[in-house]
Amino acid sequence: MTAKERVTISLDADRAAALQQAARDGRIESVSAYIGAAVEERMGREERAQRIIDGWAQTAEQDDPQAWQEALDWARQTDQRGQDVAGAAA
């Protein structure tokens, strides 16, 4: 058995009520199990997407190291995360 940790989440009232009703009706095991499965599915999709991106990046770097370095340099120069950008929401 895996260790479980409690977290608190907020849901739209209608969604929360629908999940609770589904659990009472026996359509889902429990709200916690349903949300846990949804999180696992989403994380799995994101992990698969990251593996695809990593594989593509490795191939691109091997195929044309010069172009790859230029792309990295461009990305670093244009990355505005964490910086105050005029017009951006604060």
Side-chain angles (χ1 to χ4, degrees), residues 48-64 67-68 71-72:
R48 286 188 299 279
Q50 188 62 53
R51 283 195 304 273
I52 290 167
I53 291 166
D54 291 345
W56 168 83
Q58 184 178 16
T59 300
E61 182 177 14
Q62 289 171 352
D63 288 351
D64 192 344
W68 179 252
L72 287 178

Side-chain angles (χ1 to χ4, degrees), residues 12-32:
D12 175 88
D14 292 338
R15 294 278 186 201
L19 282 172
Q20 291 167 338
Q21 186 63 50
R24 284 191 296 274
D25 294 347
R27 291 182 284 131
I28 63 173
E29 180 183 341
S30 68
V31 172
S32 292

Side-chain angles (χ1 to χ4, degrees), residues 41-87:
E41 180 182 333
R42 173 73 182 260
M43 291 179 78
R45 282 195 318 264
E46 290 176 4
E47 289 167 1
R48 286 188 299 279
Q50 188 62 53
R51 283 195 304 273
I52 290 167
I53 291 166
D54 291 345
W56 168 83
Q58 184 178 16
T59 300
E61 182 177 14
Q62 289 171 352
D63 288 351
D64 192 344
Q66 171 92 24
W68 179 252
Q69 189 57 52
E70 290 171 5
L72 287 178
D73 292 344
W74 173 85
R76 287 184 185 112
Q77 291 171 357
T78 60
D79 183 11
Q80 298 295 315
R81 291 176 293 178
Q83 299 178 20
D84 267 346
V85 177

